[in-house]
Amino acid sequence: QVQLVQSGGGLVQAGGSLRLSCTSPGRTFTGYTVAWFRQAPGKEREFVAHIARDGGSAYYADSVKGRFTISTDNPKNTVYLQMNSLKPEDTAVYYCAANGIRSSDYRVWPYWGPGTQVTVSS
């Protein structure tokens, strides 16, 4: 079982930046891929980005490419999502997730954080 704890998020004006963090207390992400998904009110959960804990390239949704960066700090066992040039349409609850495989389909991810609200005002 993988428990995920999230931090970060909040309210920011359009064009601003936020950073989200995801960690797993008591165990490492070794062998896992960690992803960020988001869900806006009334919409299906959608893929944002994922990265393999043990290296390999990151993968992004087209809607965030060039603005968001996913990264890992292995000594801290933490995965970050740096979000720059935020837009009102980025407003959503953001979830981190862990899996043994890479996929943009949220339905195959077994482990989830509690979610954190990101609100971008225009």
Side-chain angles (χ1 to χ4, degrees):
Q1 189 74 14
V2 178
Q3 179 188 8
L4 301 177
V5 176
Q6 299 179 220
S7 61
L11 173 64
V12 67
Q13 288 187 331
S17 298
L18 286 172
R19 189 177 77 164
L20 306 181
S21 302
C22 176
T23 189
S24 180
R27 65 166 298 155
T28 71
F29 285 128
T30 301
Y32 284 89
T33 294
V34 180
W36 290 95
F37 290 81
R38 66 187 182 185
Q39 188 165 18
K43 295 187 176 181
E44 191 173 20
R45 193 166 297 190
E46 66 171 358
F47 168 75
V48 175
H50 64 51
I51 190 167
R53 158 63 172 76
D54 298 330
S57 59
Y59 185 75
Y60 298 92
D62 288 343
S63 58
V64 306
K65 203 171 293 183
R67 300 187 297 121
F68 290 12
T69 302
I70 188 171
S71 62
T72 64
D73 184 335
N74 292 341
K76 293 184 178 180
N77 196 42
T78 301
V79 174
Y80 300 101
L81 184 69
Q82 178 66 42
M83 305 183 292
N84 299 328
S85 302
L86 282 160
K87 305 175 182 180
E89 51 263 44
D90 294 317
T91 296
V93 177
Y94 283 70
Y95 299 89
C96 68
N99 197 348
I101 62 172
R102 294 189 175 209
S103 173
S104 60
D105 183 350
Y106 71 91
R107 293 168 293 185
V108 305
W109 290 74
Y111 305 114
W112 291 90
T116 186
Q117 178 70 46
V118 171
T119 303
V120 185
S121 63
S122 57

